[in-house]
Amino acid sequence: MKILVLHGPNLNLLGTREPHVYGEQSLENINLSIRDWAGKNGVEVEIIQSNHEGELVDAIGSAPAKFDVLVVNPAAFTHTSVALRDAVSAAGIPSVEVHLSNIHSREEFRSKSLIAPVCQGQISGFGGYSYILGLQAALMLVRQG
Ligand code: DQA
C-alpha cells in the first residue's frame, strides 16, 4: 500500500509562518511524524511539497500509476485551483483533503474548497495531527476497497 502526501504552497514555511494559526511544528517535523506513522502501519509514503500549481498537478496526474491513495493539503490552492480539482478528479484514486487550521472558522474565502467535492472527505483544524487523521482515513478507504 502506497500513499502520496502532497503539501501545497507556503507549507515549507511551517514553524515560522503565522504560528498562532498553523502551530510551531516545522514541515520537517510533520513529515517525520508521517513517516513514523507509515512505519508503524506498514505502508509506504512519498511526500512532496511544492509552491507551484503545475508541479502539484503533475504529481497528482502520475499518482494513479504508483499510489493507492492521496492525502493532500492544497493550502491556498484549495480556494482557487480548478486545475488541482480537475487533477484529483481525473486521478480517480481515493483522496483525502487535510488542513492544519480550521478553514471554516477563518476568513470567509477560506471556507470554500474547490478540491473537497472531489475528495472522499476533508479533515481540518487539528494542526499537524490533521495529516495523521488523513492518513488513517486513507488507510481505511483503501482497506474498504
Ligand atoms: C491551509 C489553509 C489555507 O487556507 C491556507 O491558504 C494554507 C494552509 C491549512 O493547512 O490550514 O496555506 O491549507
Side-chain angles (χ1 to χ4, degrees):
M1 155 130 179
K2 289 190 178 178
I3 304 179
L4 176 61
V5 178
L6 290 180
H7 303 290
N10 300 310
L11 295 174
N12 53 312
L13 304 175
L14 286 177
T16 55
R17 174 192 181 198
E18 299 175 88
H20 56 290
V21 177
Y22 298 114
E24 289 178 2
Q25 225 181 338
S26 66
L27 187 62
E28 199 183 329
N29 198 263
I30 288 174
N31 288 343
L32 276 176
S33 70
I34 290 172
R35 292 188 198 291
D36 182 58
W37 178 92
K40 285 179 179 148
N41 286 277
V43 307
E44 284 181 46
V45 281
E46 185 171 326
I47 305 173
I48 297 172
Q49 189 277 326
S50 178
N51 294 325
H52 305 280
E53 190 176 20
E55 271 179 26
L56 294 165
V57 168
D58 285 345
I60 295 166
S62 54
K66 295 183 267 176
F67 299 97
D68 301 294
V69 59
L70 172 68
V71 174
V72 56
N73 182 349
F77 291 141
T78 305
H79 320 295
T80 63
S81 180
V82 176
L84 275 188
R85 176 200 175 108
D86 286 353
V88 172
S89 184
I93 56 174
S95 302
V96 182
E97 180 180 302
V98 302
H99 297 282
L100 297 132
S101 64
N102 180 352
I103 59 171
H104 303 286
S105 70
R106 301 181 61 196
E107 301 96 324
E108 203 181 328
F109 73 86
R110 291 188 203 275
S111 65
K112 171 83 182 162
S113 169
L114 298 185
I115 318 297
V118 294
C119 291
Q120 267 58 35
Q122 180 194 69
I123 291 162
S124 177
F126 300 97
Y129 197 65
S130 288
Y131 285 94
I132 302 302
L133 294 170
L135 290 162
Q136 205 65 56
L139 188 62
M140 179 274 293
L141 287 170
V142 174
R143 284 195 176 147
Q144 273 186 354

